[in-house]
């Protein structure tokens, strides 16, 4: 039985990674070089200061700036990122997300959202989908590692669901790891290779329905018997 579905925000519902890339690209332009989307892949999963170090290496500027200058550059990138996030609209919701969320609600399945970022509620409001979530858990009060199951467990508790009745949706291996630790089934969204520990994997939510979810989980359960 599926009683609740718990979604990660970035890469599943919206693509804030695009906003981060634009902010880094803007910083690179200020420093006098071009920064591409391919190069941006090396920034995934690292801290802002680690990302800045990689960016400076790409531009051949390693060792050119002192600590204070680096702090100011990182602050500029963060401010530009927030600027791009503030421009997000309904058009920035990823294909299939709204349809699936609406389908879950029609079926009486509770819907939660978890994000390690602090801007999740604002993003949901700007994109017009806040009403599709029964609870929103973000990083505004406590900071958790992506693989920590506690946010998922707290969402389940808020929704009155046992972990075994929950399905977590995530596009990162660490999020799938958190679901496993929490005793939940999971749907990996994206490239199957890093998401191989998920219960099921789908390339995107576009065309993915509640019936698909139930069928895939039934098939997975059948294989485990």
């Amino acid at each position: 039985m599926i009683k609740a579905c718990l979604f990660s925000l970035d890469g599943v519902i919206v693509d804030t990674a695009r906003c981060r890339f634009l902010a880094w690209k803007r910083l690179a332009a200020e420093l006098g070089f071009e920064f591409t989307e391919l190069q941006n892949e090396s920034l995934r999963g690292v801290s802002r200061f680690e990302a800045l170090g990689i960016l400076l290496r790409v531009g051949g500027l390693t060792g050119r700036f002192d600590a204070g200058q680096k702090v100011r550059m990182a602050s500029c990138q963060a401010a530009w990122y927030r600027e791009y996030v503030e421009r997000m609209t309904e058009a920035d919701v990823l294909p299939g997300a709204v349809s699936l969320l609406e389908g879950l609600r029609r079926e009486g399945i509770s819907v939660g959202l978890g994000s390690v970022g602090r801007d999740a509620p604002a993003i949901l409001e700007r994109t017009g989908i806040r009403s599709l979530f029964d609870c929103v858990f973000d990083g505004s009060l406590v900071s958790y590692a992506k693989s920590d199951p506690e946010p998922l467990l707290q969402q389940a508790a808020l929704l009155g669901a046992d972990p075994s009745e929950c399905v977590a949706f995530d596009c990162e291996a660490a999020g799938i790891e958190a679901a496993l630790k929490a005793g939940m089934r999971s749907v990996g969204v994206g490239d199957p290779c890093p998401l191989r520990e998920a219960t099921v994997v789908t390339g995107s939510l576009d065309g993915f329905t509640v019936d698909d979810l139930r069928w895939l989980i039934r098939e997975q359960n059948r294989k485990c018997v």
Side-chain angles (χ1 to χ4, degrees):
M1 176 183 178
I2 302 171
K3 191 171 182 179
C5 285
L6 313 177
F7 291 82
S8 176
L9 178 65
D10 190 28
V12 177
I13 303 298
V14 298
D15 186 12
T16 56
R18 177 68 181 171
C19 297
R20 291 190 185 89
F21 164 64
L22 291 174
W24 286 121
K25 183 178 177 68
R26 184 170 170 180
L27 178 60
E30 290 283 327
L31 294 171
F33 66 93
E34 184 180 359
F35 187 65
T36 68
E37 291 191 60
L38 181 60
Q39 292 165 333
N40 184 63
E41 290 299 310
S42 63
L43 306 190
R44 290 185 180 273
V46 303
S47 70
R48 179 174 289 115
F49 280 98
E50 289 174 312
L52 176 60
I54 294 169
L55 184 87
L56 293 176
R57 284 200 298 273
V58 169
L61 299 175
T62 301
R64 297 279 190 91
F65 304 99
D66 61 30
Q69 290 172 312
K70 289 179 181 178
V71 167
R72 287 191 289 275
M73 283 188 279
S75 296
C76 282
Q77 190 276 342
W80 290 332
Y81 165 72
R82 289 192 295 271
E83 177 185 320
Y84 292 126
V85 164
E86 287 170 1
R87 298 178 188 174
M88 294 182 79
T89 68
E90 294 178 6
D92 292 297
V93 179
L94 291 172
V98 170
S99 177
L100 177 59
L101 294 171
E102 291 175 340
L104 291 168
R105 294 181 69 82
R106 283 195 300 270
E107 294 289 330
I109 297 172
S110 298
V111 180
L113 182 131
S115 173
V116 296
R118 301 185 177 188
D119 46 10
I123 290 173
L124 295 181
E125 291 292 345
R126 291 189 188 102
T127 54
I129 58 174
R130 174 61 183 87
S131 62
L132 297 178
F133 294 92
D134 298 295
C135 75
V136 175
F137 188 98
D138 69 5
S140 60
L141 299 177
V142 182
S143 179
Y144 292 97
K146 180 72 173 181
S147 60
D148 193 326
E150 189 58 29
L152 291 174
L153 293 171
Q154 291 194 29
Q155 288 178 70
L158 286 170
L159 297 172
D162 186 85
S164 64
E165 300 171 318
C166 298
V167 178
F169 288 71
D170 210 296
C171 66
E172 295 183 20
I176 300 303
E177 180 184 347
L180 285 170
K181 290 178 180 176
M184 299 179 182
R185 288 167 289 186
S186 59
V187 174
V189 182
D191 182 355
C193 187
L195 302 172
R196 56 185 175 274
E197 297 299 321
T199 307
V200 295
V201 179
T202 178
S204 75
L205 296 184
D206 196 13
F208 190 82
T209 68
V210 181
D211 286 340
D212 292 329
L213 175 63
R214 287 175 171 151
W215 182 84
L216 286 168
I217 289 176
R218 279 200 304 270
E219 286 297 298
Q220 191 270 342
N221 288 339
R222 186 175 297 133
K223 292 176 184 177
C224 292
V225 173

